[in-house]
Every structure is written in structure tokens, then in C-alpha cells.
Amino acid sequence: MIYVGSHISSAKGFAAMGRQALALGANTFAFFTRNPRGGAAKALDPADVEAFLDIAREHGFGKLVAHAPYTMNACSSKPEVRAFSWRTFGEDLERMEHIPGNYYNFHPGSHVGQGTEVGIRFITQMLNTHLKPEQRTTVLLETMAGKGSEVGGRFEELKAILDGVEVKEHMGVCLDTCHVWDGGYDIVEHLEEVLEEFDRIIGLSWLKALHVNDSKNPLGAKKDRHACIGEGELGEAAFGRIVRHPVLKSLPMILETPNDEEGYRREIALLRKLYAQKRI
Ligand code: FE
Ligand code: FE
Ligand code: ZN
């Protein structure tokens, strides 16, 4: 059995997300902690959270992979953007404690010309400001495509961030298949070698979740344009090898493909079918 799901709108609350996940055939999902373009988060309704937790328990959901808003940039050159990002991060972590034991994934940030080292320092500072030893949420750094001045396009950069974090036990990494491909890691022809490299540089014990996306662009393009599974440069067979891989198959797998509901339902079923093929 694998844990697979897609992004689901959080507009109608937690219980509605749980029911939507079931309708899609999902047993995990991702949601934006607030409008992906930023803005204030809605107040939490304890009854809604309870109803969701009942659904998740009853249907054996895996860990959820919440996603921070895109407007967050922990290492912006603008102090007001950094302040907004750090504050948002802290608030989101507090909210996540209402659904304890899940993941909160964020894009490390873009250094916008300040250099990778400065970027890494700001990101680490944000994490050290808000991570608490007693928290029950694990924060995930997402592997990035390396578009523009993005930090996190190389495994070494994620490792440098992790090295600077004090509360390491609540940290992990989310591997986005489109992003690593665009970043130049060939998970189609050399999945084994890429995972070995991840293990050597970061350590596979840090790998906690997958974003499962095909890519519209060739290896190393650094573009970050997601494609539907099997319709991009990675191809369906590569996803079969990914979902069946012994070190990947137990991780929550989140689709972020350009789909409507019906498309997500189909792709969730496709990933389950690929998993069941049990081939190498
Ligand atoms: Fe992302
Ligand atoms: Fe992603
Ligand atoms: Zn992306």
C-alpha cells in the first residue's frame, strides 16, 4: 500500500478536505496553509479539525504534507518580505499543532542576488527562531529546480541549511521529482545514483515526502514547469520505478500536476496501478 494524494483546496476547512481526499481515492494530501498568494489565514474551527481527525483515523490516512504560501521568501533582500515570511512561518507552525504529527513543506527561498551563502543564513535563522523542541510537526525543505536565484536546487544547499538548524529532530526534506529533474538530477536513467548522492550529501533518513510531478522541460532546464504524469520528459515508466523503489514507496506522494479533480483521481489511480506492477 502506498500513500498518495494531490493538492486539495483548504477553502472549506479540514473535514471538507478529508472528504475530498476520499473522493479522489487519496489517503494523504497537500493543502496550502493559507491562500498560496499570501494573506491572512482563517481561524481554525475545533469541531472541523475533530471531524477531519476522525476521517483520517477511520481511513488510515498517511501523513499530510501542508504547503507554505508561495509568497514566503525567508531570504528576501527586502526586510519587510523577510519579516512577513518569518511571521507567516511561525503562525503556520502554531496552526499545524492542531493536526499534530504531520509535515509542513516550504520553498527555502530565493536569495535575489545576495548570494547562496547569505540566503542559507537567513533561512537557517528563520528556522532557529521558530522551531521548538516540543513541536509535533516536521518541517520539510523542498528540493528546488534552481530557477533564478532559488536556494535548494543542489543537495549541498539543503545540507548546509540542515547543518545550521539547532532543533534538527523536527526537520526533513521533500523531494519534488520535477524540480530535481530540472535541477539536473537524472531520476529517469539514474534513479539509483541520484538516491545514492542524496544519501551521501544529505542522508536518506532526512527524506520524508515526495512531490510527484512530470516536467515539461529537459533534464537540467531549471524551469520548474510541471506536467501530468507520463505527459512530460520523465515519462510513466520512470514514475513506476519511483513509486516502487524500496526507499521511496513508504513516503507520502503528493501530485502537483496541472489537473482538475478528475485528472487527479485518474493519476492517483495510475500511481497505485504502477506500484502494483511490482516490476523493477
Ligand atoms: Fe512546492
Ligand atoms: Fe513541489
Ligand atoms: Zn514546482
Side-chain angles (χ1 to χ4, degrees):
M1 206 253 306
I2 55 173
Y3 294 104
V4 49
S6 64
H7 262 272
I8 289 181
S9 164
S10 56
K12 290 185 187 139
F14 278 99
M17 285 195 282
R19 287 190 295 270
Q20 173 68 3
L22 293 176
L24 296 175
N27 53 357
T28 178
F29 59 90
F31 63 98
F32 284 107
T33 47
R34 56 188 72 210
N35 183 316
R37 303 272 153 229
K42 281 203 306 196
L44 279 176
D45 170 4
D48 175 49
V49 170
E50 266 319 304
F52 164 72
L53 292 174
D54 284 344
I55 294 172
R57 248 190 317 267
E58 189 185 333
H59 295 274
F61 278 21
K63 288 181 188 291
L64 310 185
V65 190
H67 201 302
Y70 289 143
T71 42
M72 237 176 78
N73 182 7
C75 59
S76 171
S77 57
K78 296 190 181 119
E80 66 276 17
V81 176
R82 280 202 308 276
F84 158 81
S85 303
W86 293 27
R87 192 173 64 242
T88 298
F89 182 82
E91 286 172 14
D92 279 0
L93 279 191
E94 279 175 33
R95 290 166 66 85
M96 288 297 294
E97 289 301 297
H98 293 272
I99 49 162
N102 290 299
Y103 296 139
Y104 177 76
N105 170 78
F106 77 107
H107 296 178
S110 293
H111 65 68
V112 282
Q114 303 169 99
T116 307
E117 249 173 72
V118 173
I120 288 170
R121 185 149 28 89
F122 280 137
I123 296 158
T124 305
Q125 278 174 5
M126 179 185 78
L127 290 163
N128 286 335
T129 302
H130 289 295
L131 286 178
K132 306 253 182 341
E134 66 273 18
Q135 75 180 49
R136 289 169 294 174
T137 301
T138 300
V139 172
L140 305 184
L141 301 167
E142 181 166 352
T143 61
M144 301 310 292
K147 188 175 73 180
S149 66
E150 273 175 357
V151 178
R154 303 296 308 167
F155 295 160
E156 286 81 356
E157 295 168 11
L158 298 176
K159 168 66 173 167
I161 297 168
L162 292 170
D163 277 348
V165 174
E166 287 150 16
V167 185
K168 289 192 187 358
E169 67 268 29
H170 301 309
M171 288 299 302
V173 173
C174 172
L175 187 146
D176 186 309
T177 55
C178 168
H179 295 177
V180 294
W181 169 262
D182 275 33
Y185 295 99
D186 186 356
I187 52 174
V188 175
E189 297 294 335
H190 301 285
L191 177 61
E192 214 55 58
E193 289 88 338
V194 171
L195 291 176
E196 274 166 24
E197 187 170 347
F198 188 102
D199 194 34
R200 196 171 60 245
I201 312 258
I202 303 176
L204 280 171
S205 62
W206 295 92
L207 182 55
K208 304 293 185 192
L210 295 178
H211 282 174
V212 182
N213 305 307
D214 212 324
S215 174
K216 289 200 157 89
N217 291 290
L219 179 68
K222 301 193 174 183
K223 288 274 201 327
D224 189 4
R225 299 270 318 280
H226 301 187
C228 290
I229 303 303
E231 294 176 14
E233 297 280 326
L234 278 76
E236 196 176 295
F239 287 101
R241 293 189 291 271
I242 288 165
V243 299
R244 290 190 298 268
H245 195 284
V247 310
L248 306 178
K249 66 183 184 187
S250 56
L251 305 175
M253 301 175 190
I254 305 296
L255 291 159
E256 301 176 305
T257 43
N259 268 314
D260 54 12
E261 271 178 35
E262 184 49 33
Y264 276 140
R265 209 189 51 72
R266 248 193 344 261
E267 284 192 347
I268 288 165
L270 172 63
L271 293 185
R272 293 197 194 286
K273 191 187 90 184
L274 291 171
Y275 174 68
Q277 285 176 345
K278 298 282 183 213
R279 288 192 271 115
I280 317 273

